[in-house]
Amino acid sequence: MALLSPPPRGSLGKSLGTLAPRTAQPFGSEGLNRRGSLQPKDPRSPKRSTLVALILASATLATLDQTPVLDPVRSIAGDVFGPAESAVSTVARPFTDIPGWFDSRDKLRGDIADLKTQNAELRRQLRATDFGRNRLEEYDGLTRSAETLGYTLVPARVVAYGEAQSFTRTVTIDAGTDAGVTADMTVVAADGLVGRVLRATRTSATVLLIADASSVVGGRVGSSMQVGFVHGTGGLSAQDGLDLELVDQSVAPVKGDTVVTWGDGQAAPYVAGVPIGKVTGVFASVRDSSRTVRVQPYVDFGALDVVGVVVPAGTKGDRAVIGPDGKLG
Amino acid sequence: MTQGGLRGAVVALLVVVALLLQVSVFDHVAWDGVVPDLVLLVVVAGALVSGGQFGMVLGFCAGVLLDVVPPADHTVGRWALALLLVGYVAGQVRPESGDQRGRPPAMTVVATVAGCSFVGTSVFALSGLLLHEDGAGTGSMLQVVGIGLVWDVLLTPLVLPWTMALLRRLQPERVRA
């Protein structure tokens, strides 16, 4: 039975017990290292409980920040650190501005010249805005009249007036054969008829105004459809006006009637349907028993700026043409 | 003032100075908008010298400060989480791998800074994605993380040596087991 008895205790047992390997059970301030043997825990290493607590605290702060709870904290931090940040910025500014010291004087002079040019350009644009606004209104009027008339127009500007000593009333426009303008084309403005093209060069054309003494325009009185011929009187002011000589002398037009051009549509030199002026008075000449009707033109010949030349549809030139629907094409 | 208290005060002062420099001065030399993360460098220094427990707590407090001080505009707690993880990771560097006085070799320090910079900025960006805060795409986020890593590694020799020496001098005496 001694063989089955439990291992001997007592001093022999103790000495025998120390020979057996000790089971590695970490407890207390000891832990297992990578090789599996016991090693005292480093007190500086992070405790798991602290890690979890801090992560949870971060999550709590993130949740709290969705509400306005942390705003006082932010404002206090701002009150403390804002002046500190300004102070640090002020102290550091001489050092952070150092790259600016290396700007050469040539570069600075170049910058000044650029700024002066931009300034002058802006001032020029500012001065021209009133003028620009008027020009825009004239262009708008021209497109509207193109729409009303139903003709294709080439826009142009009046660049020169013929002098009165030559006894002809002509103007120069800045559209020529390059823009599709040729002789005997009608020239209109937003308000009404201006004249016809006498001759055209590549980039400009000469226009005979209807106020010229030698200009004759076929006209029709609006309300009665009576036809006649409108002669110019040679003067450009509104008082000079135009003279309408009706074919049927017995009919007297009513004051205020409109006179439009009379033609068979697209025939040169004057297309049909362009307003010329309105009747302001009827004068009877005793000498030859004919009536002269005074017509005041709609167009102010002293202030011509933007005009349009009626061209056949589909003309292509060096500029966009205003189509019969009023759109640029 | 006890040794531990003095160390705490000095560390707090270092964090405040790092934050002010990071926000007010280094933005003039920002590369593509990215400034070096000086607060992260201070946290890494603290964790390398005093261990992971101290580094974690330091990271959390510095992160809360970063979140609250203007011009920060994001949810409070994002930098806290990022920097406490940085402190934990930096604290895993074993001090016995260094020389007699417990200083880790220079390459270890640089590698630690690189890893912690990557971890910190990435955790911050990921938490932003989780909270649906930032609108930046993954590509620009990676670019920011990369530039931040380069900045931090560049500034390591300027910031870490004297910070670690200062903290080591202030370390409370402890009996090594």
Side-chain angles (χ1 to χ4, degrees):
Chain A
M1 295 315 119
L3 291 167
L4 297 171
S5 59
R9 296 282 168 216
S11 58
L12 185 59
K14 272 207 199 102
S15 49
L16 280 175
T18 50
L19 293 173
R22 208 155 144 201
T23 49
Q25 292 287 342
F27 65 98
S29 62
E30 291 172 334
L32 287 176
N33 70 0
R34 268 198 295 270
R35 280 187 289 265
S37 52
L38 278 174
Q39 174 187 297
K41 261 196 206 138
D42 189 355
R44 309 182 320 167
S45 68
K47 299 196 192 51
R48 188 160 303 157
S49 56
T50 319
L51 178 68
V52 169
L54 288 179
I55 292 181
L56 284 178
S58 309
T60 313
L61 282 174
T63 319
L64 275 181
D65 200 27
Q66 311 293 330
T67 65
V69 166
L70 289 178
D71 285 348
V73 179
R74 273 217 164 97
S75 63
I76 292 175
D79 287 337
V80 170
F81 276 88
E85 282 173 18
S86 334
V88 171
S89 244
T90 315
V91 166
R93 195 162 299 134
F95 301 98
T96 55
D97 280 348
I98 285 176
W101 297 353
F102 294 106
D103 271 350
S104 67
R105 289 179 64 194
D106 280 341
K107 180 176 175 304
L108 290 173
R109 284 215 188 95
D111 284 345
I112 290 180
D114 284 340
L115 286 171
K116 275 193 181 147
T117 323
Q118 286 178 17
N119 232 356
E121 174 71 21
L122 287 170
R123 282 211 190 96
R124 192 191 62 77
Q125 284 180 10
L126 190 63
R127 274 187 233 117
T129 43
D130 276 344
F131 183 53
R133 210 178 302 126
N134 286 338
R135 276 172 52 184
L136 186 62
E137 285 172 12
E138 290 198 38
Y139 272 120
D140 279 344
L142 199 60
T143 50
R144 268 199 301 275
S145 68
E147 224 174 322
T148 324
L149 295 174
Y151 296 119
T152 309
L153 297 180
V154 165
R157 322 241 359 245
V158 170
V159 292
Y161 276 82
E163 67 276 12
Q165 288 92 323
S166 55
F167 297 110
T168 58
R169 291 320 205 164
T170 55
V171 295
T172 312
I173 60 173
D174 64 354
T177 52
D178 277 353
V181 172
T182 56
D184 283 340
M185 283 186 170
T186 313
V187 179
V188 303
D191 295 323
L193 183 67
V194 171
R196 69 180 163 91
V197 178
L198 285 177
R199 69 190 70 84
T201 64
R202 293 233 354 246
T203 52
S204 65
T206 311
V207 173
L208 182 75
L209 299 177
I210 57 174
D212 186 272
S214 64
S215 148
V216 178
V217 184
R220 188 191 291 274
V221 177
S223 58
S224 59
M225 304 298 270
Q226 294 283 323
V227 297
F229 296 99
V230 178
H231 303 261
T233 53
L236 286 186
S237 64
Q239 286 86 357
D240 294 328
L242 311 164
D243 286 338
L244 170 65
E245 196 186 311
L246 286 173
V247 166
D248 185 355
Q249 289 287 326
S250 59
V251 177
V254 176
K255 192 169 154 184
D257 259 348
T258 51
V259 182
V260 294
T261 53
W262 161 54
D264 62 352
Q266 301 285 328
Y270 292 106
V271 294
V274 181
I276 303 175
K278 67 175 193 290
V279 175
T280 51
V282 179
F283 299 94
S285 166
V286 173
R287 196 167 31 150
D288 52 11
S289 69
S290 64
R291 280 204 183 86
T292 311
V293 180
R294 181 52 54 89
V295 172
Q296 184 190 12
Y298 285 131
V299 170
D300 182 3
F301 292 108
L304 286 175
D305 190 19
V306 175
V307 296
V309 183
V310 176
V311 293
T315 301
K316 293 219 186 311
D318 62 355
R319 67 193 68 188
V321 295
I322 306 174
D325 50 358
K327 294 200 182 20
L328 284 176
Chain B
M1 195 186 281
T2 66
Q3 191 75 348
L6 181 62
R7 181 179 65 161
V10 168
V11 155
L13 185 66
L14 278 177
V15 166
V16 167
V17 168
L19 193 136
L20 286 175
L21 282 179
Q22 180 180 325
V23 171
S24 292
V25 176
F26 272 90
D27 59 332
H28 295 281
V29 293
W31 177 9
D32 212 6
V34 182
V35 292
D37 205 342
L38 297 175
V39 176
L40 187 139
L41 291 179
V42 169
V43 169
V44 169
L48 280 177
V49 169
S50 304
Q53 177 77 1
F54 179 75
M56 248 181 10
V57 176
L58 172 64
F60 179 77
C61 298
V64 170
L65 196 65
L66 256 184
D67 286 331
V68 165
V69 164
D73 191 34
H74 49 269
T75 312
V76 172
R78 282 172 65 192
W79 269 125
L81 181 69
L83 286 182
L84 83 90
L85 288 178
V86 159
Y88 180 82
V89 166
Q92 299 294 91
V93 173
R94 296 278 163 230
E96 60 265 12
S97 60
D99 57 11
Q100 285 297 85
R101 285 194 285 169
R103 287 193 305 190
M107 283 316 297
T108 314
V109 173
V110 171
T112 313
V113 166
C116 291
S117 163
F118 182 77
V119 165
T121 324
S122 307
V123 167
F124 184 73
L126 287 173
S127 65
L129 276 179
L130 267 179
L131 293 169
H132 302 289
E133 269 202 0
D134 301 322
T138 326
S140 62
M141 248 192 253
L142 279 177
Q143 185 188 8
V144 168
V145 168
I147 299 177
L149 202 143
V150 171
W151 256 130
D152 291 339
V153 166
L154 280 178
L155 281 188
T156 308
L158 295 175
V159 174
L160 282 203
W162 58 269
T163 318
M164 286 172 66
L166 180 66
L167 287 176
R168 203 170 293 119
R169 194 175 303 225
L170 291 173
Q171 190 140 300
E173 291 298 327
R174 56 176 82 245
V175 176
R176 287 194 181 250

